[in-house]
Each structure stands twice: as structure tokens, then as C-alpha cells.
């Protein structure tokens, strides 16, 4: 476990305090010792130059004079001085350890308070990075309040960067939506002109065959543009929410997909249990429809394939729609790529008149816009199991 910045700062504070305390204790010891020596010498100094003070004392009933008395006093002073210095060092060390421990604790608290704005920056960056889609978290801002110091400059710079990225993504979505909308008009005109040419009495067989090819290409482009429009719409947050029972959506989509399942000789199973959520009903219908459509198109072609649709309530906070199907084997490391726009897993996933390569991308965008997520895993024996998890509706 690597040491945190707070721990390192506390260690530095503590080390500096103990070094300063040791230096102070050493200086006090030297000054105290010097003062005791000076006091001892001054006691025996005479006020007259060149003469020493006469000293005498009575010890055990005997009076002692001169140097013998001075020597005995020196020994007593030395013992007292040694005891005082020892007491100074011992008590000073104890006081230094006690106050140093308090200083380290205070340093830990101060370091935590000083680093709190940095933790706020880090937490915001993590939430943005952990968003299911990168642009989903770009609406967050740190908005750090406090003195105009280096940390606030960092937070303000981060907010400016995120704001510019947010504007960039919004501009990109608007461009895709506007461009797709503008392209629908010429495609509609092309379809009308081709159908008009094909249905003329003078139209030859070659013209009709060419018209069918052009209509197929036109249909492919229409599906691509409609997918781009839906993708741009689904990447916006859903503001107007209403109660939606996913069981009703599953039943409706299963009925709509029955003909296509029969044409592809795929058996469609439906288990519609109550699963109440909130959101845009049309977008949620598109989510389920794309999952079923994906399961039907990438399935077995020998008449033994099946698709199973299940809606259920998982907990008091979550509901799910699960779509599983038979089909070609998918490697686990390829599953995340299937949710990227225009990604095809294998050559059979090329763009045809019925596919634009946006189905699962739209599913993921719709789920995220409703506060949910999508996960997928390879099914044993081939095919996929895709689960769209959404928040459960409450207070309805």
C-alpha cells in the first residue's frame, strides 16, 4: 500500500517538529550548564582584584577553611549540577514526546483539511470517468469555494476544461441530429423519383431491377439516418418521465416481431412479468425492439433458433428486460465492442438493407438516459444474453 499525500505531509510535519524540539532541548541544556558553571565560579570570586573569597564551613562539628572547604563545595555543586541536567534532559524528552505526539495528530488534521479541496477535485474526476458514457458526467462541476489560492485555481481550470468538453459533445450531438434531419429530405425525394420511374408503363425490366437496387440502397441510408437521429435523441437526459410497465412493452414488441420471427423460422418466447419504471415510452419500446431485432437477425438459420424475452422486477430499486437467443458463438472480449456504433462482430454483421450497425448502441444510450445500464454475456452454446437494467418506479 503506497503512502498517501496526507500521510507523507504528516510525517514531514512530525519530523520537522521533533528536529526543532531536539535542537531547542540541546540549546537549553548548553545554556543551563553554562549558567551553572558561571554561578559556581562567581560564588568564590572576591570583590577585590587579585584576592579570592575566604570560605569556611562546619561539617560534622568540624570547621573547615580554605581550599578544602572549596573542594567540598565544588563536589556538592557538581552533584547538584549533574542531577539538574539529568532531570532537564529526562523531563524535556518526555515533554517533547508528549507534545510531539499531539503535534503529529494536529498535523494529520491540518493536512486533511488542507487536502480536502484536492479530494473534491479527485472525486469529481472519478465520477466523470466512471460514468457509463463519458459525456454523461460532463455536466458536473467542482465549483470550489474559498480563498483564491493554487488549489482553487486548479479546480477552476478543471471546471473550465470540463465545460468546454461538455459544449463540444453537445455540439457534436446537435450536428449529428441536424445533419441526419437534413438528409432525410433528399432521401425521401430519391425514393419518390425511383418509384415513379419503376412504375412507368414504358419501364423496362432492366430499369425495374435497377430501381429495386436503388430502393434497397435508399432504405439502407434511411435506416442509418433514422438510427443516427434516434441515437442523438437517446443520448439526451429524459426530462419528461411517465410510468411505463415493461411487461406491456415486451408484449407489444413480441406481437410486432412475430411476423419477422416466422419469416426467419425463429421461435419467439415471451415472459412478461410486471416491471414498472419511468421514462419515455417510445424510447423504452425502441430499446426492447432493438434487442429482439438483434436476437432475430443474428440467429441460427436451420429452423432451431429461438429468442426469449423476459421482463421482471429484481428488487425494490431495479427492474430488468432480458433478451437471450441462440446464434453464433461470441468471444467474451468481443462483447463490449458490440455496443459501439457501426461495429460488426463478424462478416455476417455487415450493413445490409435491414441493419445500420446502431442497434445495441441505441439500446445502451436509452438505458443510460433513463438512469440504467446494459450488460451482456455470451450464452453457453452460442448467442447472447443481454440485460437492460432500469430504475424501478416508486410513488406511482
Amino acid at each position: 500500500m503506497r503512502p498517501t499525500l496526507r500521510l507523507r505531509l504528516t510525517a514531514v510535519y512530525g519530523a520537522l517538529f521533533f528536529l526543532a524540539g531536539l535542537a531547542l532541548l540541546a540549546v537549553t541544556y548548553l545554556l543551563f550548564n553554562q549558567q551553572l558553571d558561571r554561578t559556581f565560579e562567581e560564588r568564590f570570586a572576591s570583590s577585590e582584584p587579585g584576592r579570592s573569597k575566604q570560605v569556611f564551613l562546619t561539617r560534622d562539628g568540624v570547621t573547615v577553611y580554605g581550599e578544602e572547604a572549596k573542594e567540598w563545595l565544588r563536589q556538592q555543586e557538581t552533584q547538584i549540577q549533574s542531577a539538574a541536567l539529568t532531570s532537564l534532559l529526562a523531563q524535556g524528552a518526555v515533554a517533547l514526546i508528549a507534545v510531539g505526539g499531539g503535534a503529529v495528530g494536529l498535523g494529520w488534521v491540518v493536512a486533511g483539511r488542507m487536502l480536502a479541496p484536492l479530494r473534491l477535485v479527485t472525486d469529481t474526476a472519478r465520477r466523470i470517468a466512471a460514468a457509463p458514457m463519458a459525456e454523461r458526467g460532463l455536466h458536473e462541476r467542482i465549483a470550489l469555494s474559498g480563498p483564491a489560492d493554487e488549489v482553487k485555481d486548479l479546480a477552476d481550470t478543471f471546471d473550465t476544461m470540463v465545460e468546454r468538453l461538455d459544449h463540444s459533445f453537445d455540439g457534436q450531438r446537435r450536428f449529428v441530429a441536424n445533419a441526419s434531419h437534413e438528409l432525410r429530405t433528399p432521401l425521401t425525394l430519391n425514393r419518390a423519383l425511383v418509384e415513379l420511374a419503376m412504375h412507368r408503363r414504358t419501364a423496362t425490366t432492366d430499369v425495374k431491377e435497377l430501381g429495386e437496387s436503388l430502393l434497397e440502397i435508399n432504405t439502407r441510408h434511411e435506416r442509418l439516418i433514422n438510427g443516427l437521429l434516434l441515437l442523438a435523441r437517446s443520448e439526451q437526459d429524459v426530462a419528461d418521465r411517465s410510468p411505463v410497465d415493461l411487461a406491456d412493452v415486451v408484449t407489444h414488441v413480441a406481437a410486432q416481431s412475430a411476423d419477422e420471427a416466422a419469416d426467419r423460422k425463429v421461435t419467439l418466447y415471451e415472459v412478461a412479468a410486471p416491471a414498472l419504471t419511468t421514462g419515455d415510452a417510445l424510447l423504452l419500446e425502441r430499446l426492447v425492439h432493438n434487442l429482439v431485432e438483434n436476437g432475430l437477425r443474428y440467429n441460427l438459420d436451420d429452423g432451431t433458433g429461438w429468442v426469449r424475452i423476459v421482463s421482471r422486477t429484481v428488487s425494490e430499486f431495479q427492474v430488468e428486460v432480458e433478451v437471450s437467443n441462440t446464434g453464433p458463438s461470441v468471444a467474451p472480449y468481443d462483447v463490449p465492442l458490440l455496443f459501439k456504433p457501426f461495429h460488426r462482430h463478424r462478416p455476417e454483421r455487415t450493413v445490409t438493407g435491414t441493419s445500420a450497425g446502431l442497434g445495441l448502441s441505441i439500446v445502451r444510450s436509452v438505458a443510460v438516459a433513463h438512469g440504467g445500464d446494459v450488460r451482456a454475456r455470451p450464452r453457453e452454446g452460442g448467442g447472447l444474453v443481454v440485460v437492460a437494467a432500469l430504475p424501478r418506479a416508486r410513488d406511482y
Side-chain angles (χ1 to χ4, degrees):
M1 180 180 178
R2 62 185 181 90
T4 61
L5 179 59
R6 183 180 185 182
L7 181 60
R8 294 200 301 269
L9 287 176
T10 304
V12 171
Y13 295 157
L16 291 177
F17 181 86
F18 278 108
L19 288 176
L22 288 174
L24 179 62
L25 186 60
V27 170
T28 303
Y29 175 83
L30 293 176
L31 293 176
F32 184 64
N33 188 33
Q34 184 180 5
Q35 183 63 32
L36 287 179
D37 290 339
R38 184 181 300 116
T39 301
F40 182 77
E41 294 298 332
E42 289 177 352
R43 289 181 60 185
F44 298 103
S46 174
S47 58
E48 298 181 10
R51 298 185 60 184
S52 61
K53 183 181 292 185
Q54 296 297 321
V55 179
F56 67 93
L57 57 86
T58 301
R59 185 180 60 182
D60 298 331
V62 179
T63 302
V64 181
Y65 297 91
E67 293 299 326
E68 184 178 358
K70 290 182 180 181
E71 183 62 26
W72 188 84
L73 288 175
R74 285 193 182 95
Q75 292 177 1
Q76 296 299 315
E77 293 281 356
T78 301
Q79 293 178 3
I80 295 174
Q81 181 178 2
S82 177
L85 293 176
T86 302
S87 178
L88 173 65
L89 290 177
Q91 295 180 8
V94 172
L96 178 61
I97 293 173
V99 177
V104 170
L106 183 61
W108 175 264
V109 175
V110 172
R113 293 181 63 86
M114 295 297 292
L115 293 175
L118 287 180
R119 284 198 299 272
L120 180 60
V121 175
T122 303
D123 292 342
T124 304
R126 282 177 178 167
R127 284 196 301 272
I128 293 174
M133 300 180 68
E135 62 270 24
R136 290 294 179 188
L138 294 179
H139 299 296
E140 286 202 54
R141 299 293 183 271
I142 299 173
L144 184 65
S145 59
D149 53 12
E150 291 83 354
V151 178
K152 191 173 188 307
D153 289 342
L154 173 63
D156 292 344
T157 303
F158 183 85
D159 283 344
T160 302
M161 178 190 68
V162 172
E163 185 176 2
R164 294 184 64 180
L165 288 174
D166 191 19
H167 289 331
S168 177
F169 276 108
D170 283 341
Q172 185 181 19
R173 284 193 291 267
R174 284 195 299 270
F175 172 77
V176 171
N178 293 335
S180 300
H181 183 74
E182 292 297 326
L183 286 173
R184 296 179 71 177
T185 300
L187 285 176
T188 303
L189 181 60
N190 286 344
R191 172 175 288 278
L193 292 176
V194 171
E195 290 178 346
L196 180 62
M198 289 176 60
H199 291 88
R200 284 181 179 177
R201 294 181 180 179
T202 58
T204 63
T205 304
D206 293 339
V207 171
K208 292 181 179 180
E209 291 179 354
L210 177 62
E212 290 177 357
S213 299
L214 292 175
L215 286 177
E216 183 178 353
I217 295 173
N218 204 81
T219 300
R220 179 190 311 168
H221 292 162
E222 287 175 349
R223 286 183 174 273
L224 175 60
I225 290 172
N226 288 335
L228 289 173
L229 279 170
L230 184 58
L231 183 61
R233 179 189 170 196
S234 63
E235 288 182 346
Q236 314 241 340
D237 290 333
V238 179
D240 188 11
R241 293 173 175 262
S242 58
V244 179
D245 192 346
L246 294 179
D248 297 336
V249 177
V250 166
T251 301
H252 180 66
V253 172
Q256 283 186 329
S257 305
D259 292 340
E260 183 178 356
D263 293 340
R264 296 179 180 274
K265 298 180 180 179
V266 175
T267 305
L268 192 61
Y269 298 100
E270 169 197 344
V271 182
L276 191 63
T277 185
T278 59
D280 188 311
L282 292 178
L283 286 178
L284 292 173
E285 179 185 338
R286 173 54 60 180
L287 180 149
V288 178
H289 185 274
N290 280 13
L291 288 177
V292 175
E293 189 177 55
N294 190 76
L296 290 174
R297 289 177 180 173
Y298 306 112
N299 214 306
L300 301 178
D301 55 3
D302 56 3
T304 62
W306 52 265
V307 174
R308 186 169 182 264
I309 323 168
V310 179
S311 63
R312 56 176 173 253
T313 298
V314 179
S315 67
E316 59 177 326
F317 304 107
Q318 191 177 76
V319 295
E320 288 181 350
V321 172
E322 178 183 287
V323 177
S324 55
N325 69 301
T326 54
S329 298
V330 181
Y333 52 80
D334 278 338
V335 172
L337 299 177
L338 299 179
F339 292 93
K340 294 185 178 297
F342 306 110
H343 177 80
R344 284 99 198 174
H345 174 55
R346 296 232 175 123
E348 64 265 25
R349 287 184 178 266
T350 56
V351 176
T352 65
T354 58
S355 174
L358 293 171
L360 293 181
S361 300
I362 293 173
V363 168
R364 184 167 180 261
S365 297
V366 171
V368 172
H370 285 77
D373 199 6
V374 178
R375 61 184 184 274
R377 68 179 188 275
R379 195 186 70 85
E380 185 177 354
L384 280 175
V385 178
V386 185
V387 179
L390 298 169
R392 182 181 177 184
R394 308 185 72 181
D395 300 329
Y396 284 101

